[in-house]
Amino acid sequence: EVQLVESGGGLVQPGGSLRLSCVASGFAFGDINMNWVRQPPGKGLEWVAGIAPNGATVWYMDSAEGRFTISRDNAKNTLYLELSDLKATDTAMYYCALPGVGWPRRGLGTQVTVSS
């Protein structure tokens, strides 16, 4: 059974930073592209970043480029997302997710709230 457990969210002021983690189990983590997606209040899911199985290739949504960093530790079955220079528009529930239309295989999420 696929399990994805996110952590690291919280309340942070504009310009602040957070590091999100996702521990995976139940599948061959090191063989699969992994992703972070988010759902802002009242909106649908949006893809944030992705990373290839070996970590050598990463992709970001335009607004995340230069501010967010995705990484992974395959020995620990863990995916990370470092968030910096956070803005109010980054407020959302953040999920790690396996590839799939609509991101059905994702965890329960961790809430990031950016507010002064």
Side-chain angles (χ1 to χ4, degrees):
E1 178 189 1
V2 170
Q3 285 200 314
L4 300 163
V5 181
E6 301 93 339
S7 62
L11 173 64
V12 62
Q13 292 187 341
S17 301
L18 285 172
R19 189 192 198 202
L20 309 183
S21 300
C22 170
V23 178
S25 62
F27 64 99
F29 178 80
D31 292 344
I32 297 179
N33 286 358
M34 290 297 298
N35 300 273
W36 286 97
V37 300
R38 69 185 185 185
Q39 186 167 23
K43 299 184 178 180
L45 286 169
E46 60 182 9
W47 174 80
V48 176
I51 187 168
N54 65 0
T57 305
V58 296
W59 308 270
Y60 297 99
M61 66 186 298
D62 287 348
S63 62
E65 194 78 50
R67 299 190 301 123
F68 296 178
T69 302
I70 188 171
S71 62
R72 64 194 298 163
D73 184 337
N74 289 344
K76 296 182 178 179
N77 278 11
T78 302
L79 180 71
Y80 302 100
L81 186 66
E82 298 198 42
L83 312 173
S84 64
D85 190 22
L86 282 162
K87 308 176 188 300
T89 50
D90 295 316
T91 294
M93 185 71 80
Y94 284 72
Y95 304 89
C96 64
L98 290 161
V101 176
W103 313 103
R105 294 179 296 174
R106 63 183 186 271
L108 294 179
T110 187
Q111 177 68 39
V112 172
T113 302
V114 184
S115 175
S116 56

